[in-house]
Amino acid sequence: MFKRILAIVFLQAAIGYLVLPEIFASDIDGQELYTTHCVLCHGEDGTGKTDLGSGLGARDFNDKKFQAGITDEQIVEQIANGTEEKMFPFKDKLSSEEMKALVPVIRAFGK
């Protein structure tokens, strides 16, 4: 009986581990995060044509080649780790769920 209860508890924990981050991520306002953390360099329109963005060579999120050539996972990785001499890493400022919430915002510029 104890083994059965332990198995059920383990299964519920595993399901919660896999499902809950997605539930919480859906409650995060990606647009608000973009406005707070990304607009300064990438601009409201995602072109990267801001004073700071132009100086750093910020990526244009409207660029079809960029959008087609990068996966969602790579976008999250770039947000987390930044790019040498261009983009500040956000792994210490944003949670994994918050970084994932930025992906649809970035993808929307390419449509």
Side-chain angles (χ1 to χ4, degrees):
M1 180 70 165
F2 178 73
K3 288 182 181 179
R4 185 181 228 175
I5 292 173
L6 189 60
I8 291 170
V9 169
F10 177 77
L11 182 61
Q12 287 177 332
I15 291 170
Y17 176 78
L18 296 172
V19 173
L20 285 179
E22 295 302 318
I23 292 171
F24 291 132
S26 66
D27 291 339
I28 297 170
D29 185 347
Q31 187 62 52
E32 182 178 325
L33 286 170
Y34 182 85
T35 300
T36 302
H37 298 285
C38 310
V39 163
L40 187 61
C41 294
H42 294 281
E44 291 281 343
D45 61 359
T47 61
K49 293 180 180 167
T50 66
D51 289 341
L52 188 56
S54 294
L56 293 172
R59 186 174 308 282
D60 179 356
F61 295 142
N62 297 281
D63 181 14
K64 302 287 186 203
K65 285 176 71 175
F66 162 73
Q67 292 284 350
I70 193 166
T71 65
D72 292 353
E73 292 78 18
Q74 288 171 320
I75 292 173
V76 171
E77 183 179 324
Q78 191 165 6
I79 293 168
N81 299 318
T83 55
E84 195 171 320
E85 298 181 22
K86 288 188 177 186
M87 184 176 153
F88 181 81
F90 283 87
K91 62 185 167 198
D92 295 331
K93 289 188 166 229
L94 299 174
S95 70
S96 175
E97 291 80 19
E98 289 172 320
M99 288 184 269
K100 289 178 185 173
L102 284 167
V103 172
V105 178
I106 293 167
R107 290 291 191 200
F109 287 112
K111 295 181 179 176

